[in-house]
């Protein structure tokens, strides 16, 4: 029997559609969630490689978006991760302007994070129990 791989992150259908449009214009993209004051704790979408990640960041996983050639990496600052490590994150999109730094800002929408506590199975899969 094939083993099911657990994921920390996913995207809604609306977010996936926006990611398809953004990658058509900008090429491969990535997300970073910092939790800082300037971005209002929204996930920021950048052209892949434009935001430099390092030891202060955690790679949560990659979004496999149908119609997008490359997986979309999702990163979070290590400090923010310490608060959110027990949660499963879903990237969604809503109407309204977000940060001017994120690629979706000119579209009149913004990405946001919806979260839920991980199940016991997910916590075990990520060695959090």
């Amino acid at each position: 029997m094939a083993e099911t791989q657990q994921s920390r992150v996913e995207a809604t259908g609306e977010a996936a559609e926006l990611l398809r449009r953004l990658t058509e214009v900008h090429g491969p993209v990535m997300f970073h969630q910092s939790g800082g004051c300037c971005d209002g704790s929204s996930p920021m979408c950048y052209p892949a490689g434009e935001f430099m990640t390092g030891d202060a960041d955690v790679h949560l996983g990659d979004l496999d978006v149908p119609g997008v050639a490359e997986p979309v990496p999702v990163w979070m600052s290590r400090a923010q991760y310490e608060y959110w490590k027990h949660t499963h994150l879903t990237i969604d999109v809503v109407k309204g302007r977000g940060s001017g730094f994120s690629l979706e800002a000119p579209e009149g929408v913004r990405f946001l994070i919806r979260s839920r506590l991980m199940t016991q199975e997910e916590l075990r899969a990520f060695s959090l129990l």
Side-chain angles (χ1 to χ4, degrees), residues 7-12 15-16 19 29-31 43 45 59-66 68-75 88-92 111 113:
S7 173
R8 291 181 178 274
V9 293
E10 63 184 25
T12 64
L19 286 168
V29 298
M30 65 176 288
F31 279 104
C45 184
H59 180 227
L60 298 177
D62 295 321
L63 300 172
D64 290 318
V65 180
V68 173
E70 296 184 30
V72 178
V74 180
W75 291 84
H88 179 275
L89 305 178
T90 301
I91 297 176
D92 200 359
F111 287 111
I113 292 285

Side-chain angles (χ1 to χ4, degrees), residues 7-39:
S7 173
R8 291 181 178 274
V9 293
E10 63 184 25
T12 64
E14 292 83 5
E17 177 56 36
L18 180 55
L19 286 168
R20 283 188 283 277
R21 291 196 319 262
L22 292 174
T23 57
E24 286 175 7
V25 174
H26 302 281
V29 298
M30 65 176 288
F31 279 104
H32 188 270
Q33 171 80 36
S34 73
C37 64
C38 298
D39 61 27

Side-chain angles (χ1 to χ4, degrees), residues 94-114:
V94 295
K95 291 181 182 179
R97 283 206 34 99
S99 171
F101 299 117
S102 195
L103 289 176
E104 82 281 4
E107 303 283 326
V109 295
R110 63 185 178 93
F111 287 111
L112 62 84
I113 292 285
R114 298 192 190 279

Side-chain angles (χ1 to χ4, degrees), residues 107-126:
E107 303 283 326
V109 295
R110 63 185 178 93
F111 287 111
L112 62 84
I113 292 285
R114 298 192 190 279
S115 64
R116 65 166 173 79
L117 290 176
M118 287 186 182
T119 65
Q120 294 294 312
E121 180 182 338
E122 290 169 323
L123 291 170
R124 276 191 292 281
F126 292 111

Side-chain angles (χ1 to χ4, degrees), residues 37-59:
C37 64
C38 298
D39 61 27
S41 298
S42 294
M44 305 289 282
C45 184
Y46 300 102
E50 185 173 297
F51 185 93
M52 300 305 292
T53 57
D55 291 341
D57 301 293
V58 175
H59 180 227

